[in-house]
Amino acid sequence: MILQGKCALISGGSRGIGRAIAELYYKEGAELFIMSRHADQLKAAAAEIDCQHEGRVHALPCDVSCKESVDEAFAEIKAQGKSIDVLVNCAGVNLRGPLETMPLETWQKVLDINLTGTFLLTQNVFEMMKAKGGGKIVNIASLMSEIARPTISAYVASKGGVKMFTKAIAIEWAKYNIQANAIIPGYIETELNAPLIADEKFNQFIINRTPAGRWGKPEEIAATALFFASKGADFITGQVLAVDGGILSSL
Ligand code: GCO
């Protein structure tokens, strides 16, 4: 199995894309820490993912936007004698609204979770990965790392930052054999996008705008996250791969 003996930390791992990545990494033999702010939902998700009841999935409640919460989470990982080989930064929120009336709190919350959260988790895995002679960082970026649409300015800014931060990690830590890459999901059937799917006009717009003619599935992102976490990607770093049904390649 591709991730046998590896320990992965997946933020946002209880639902959506992060949950699909957790399930695939589990199937490939990894031990997992899954993170989210909601302890009950997280505990239930960990038990569901650990379907072979091997105690290989640990629920680690954490608010990635809060340094103290992240420090506490890593203290717990160390207290369990574990060390992270693969970090997947998937935790993300999208709070929508017109730019001209967007409250500063909304802007701050989106940037703090999507971008600063990625920074805090990434900084915390460095010593673990350096000590083990290397590691993998997989960041979930977005179509909005490359293009924008109205009413999601904070999210666009945060995901543009995630893309470029991935390259910054890659060039600084390549000498430690730590690879960092990003995935750009297209429009994927997740809770985050539930309001969009329910909006028939927007739903049809996405189907028409996507050359593949459909929304993507979380599992289709997970497959790429598995590749980036594998030995086969040891010489790939600082890359951004769109799994978007062709959207970014089409007018
Ligand atoms: C939106 C959506 C998008 C997608 C995704 C695309 O409001 O347009 O939430 O941002 O979720 O990020 O890659």
Side-chain angles (χ1 to χ4, degrees):
M1 290 192 278
I2 293 171
L3 296 180
Q4 189 72 41
K6 298 292 183 189
C7 187
L9 168 59
I10 304 171
S11 70
S14 63
R15 58 189 188 149
I17 289 171
R19 172 70 180 260
I21 294 172
E23 289 174 349
L24 184 56
Y25 280 19
Y26 178 86
K27 227 169 77 189
E28 289 296 338
E31 177 165 14
L32 301 176
F33 284 91
I34 58 169
M35 268 184 175
S36 97
R37 284 167 290 168
H38 314 295
D40 295 348
Q41 192 186 76
L42 193 62
K43 211 156 160 281
E48 287 159 11
I49 296 165
D50 192 11
C51 54
Q52 291 153 15
H53 311 298
E54 295 174 351
R56 253 190 310 135
V57 185
H58 312 284
L60 194 58
C62 178
D63 174 355
V64 297
S65 68
C66 166
K67 185 180 183 313
E68 292 69 29
S69 180
V70 172
D71 290 348
E72 265 169 47
F74 274 84
E76 176 57 27
I77 292 171
K78 289 171 194 158
Q80 293 190 30
K82 305 291 182 189
S83 177
I84 303 302
D85 303 290
V86 183
L87 168 64
V88 179
N89 285 302
C90 187
V93 291
N94 193 353
L95 301 175
R96 304 177 179 92
L99 169 56
E100 59 274 19
T101 55
M102 181 174 285
L104 173 61
E105 298 68 38
T106 300
W107 169 273
Q108 208 64 56
K109 180 170 182 177
V110 174
L111 269 293
D112 285 353
I113 293 172
N114 297 5
L115 186 54
T116 306
T118 296
F119 163 76
L120 290 171
L121 294 182
T122 298
Q123 213 174 37
N124 272 275
V125 296
F126 176 66
E127 289 303 338
M128 292 178 171
M129 291 185 175
K130 187 179 168 199
K132 291 179 89 169
K136 301 283 187 178
I137 296 171
V138 182
N139 291 332
I140 304 303
S142 163
L143 288 172
M144 308 309 155
S145 300
E146 303 286 359
I147 54 176
R149 78 176 185 86
T151 76
I152 54 171
S153 56
Y155 186 86
V156 171
S158 74
K159 291 297 187 176
V162 167
K163 180 185 95 169
M164 290 314 297
F165 180 53
T166 302
K167 292 177 185 286
I169 304 164
I171 54 117
E172 274 198 57
W173 291 354
K175 59 176 174 279
Y176 302 110
N177 189 33
I178 297 170
Q179 292 84 45
N181 293 289
I183 299 171
I184 287 185
Y187 276 89
I188 308 298
E189 290 170 356
T190 62
E191 277 176 55
L192 179 107
N193 286 333
L196 304 178
I197 298 169
D199 174 337
E200 197 32 47
K201 194 159 162 276
F202 191 90
N203 176 51
Q204 202 48 57
F205 164 69
I206 292 301
I207 288 171
N208 298 339
R209 179 69 182 77
T210 306
R214 63 177 175 86
W215 290 69
K217 298 181 184 62
E219 300 72 38
E220 294 175 297
I221 308 302
T224 304
L226 178 63
F227 167 65
F228 277 146
S230 73
K231 276 207 70 49
D234 279 359
F235 202 52
I236 300 173
T237 198
Q239 295 309 299
V240 182
L241 180 57
V243 183
D244 68 350
I247 289 186
L248 283 182
S249 299
S250 68
L251 182 60

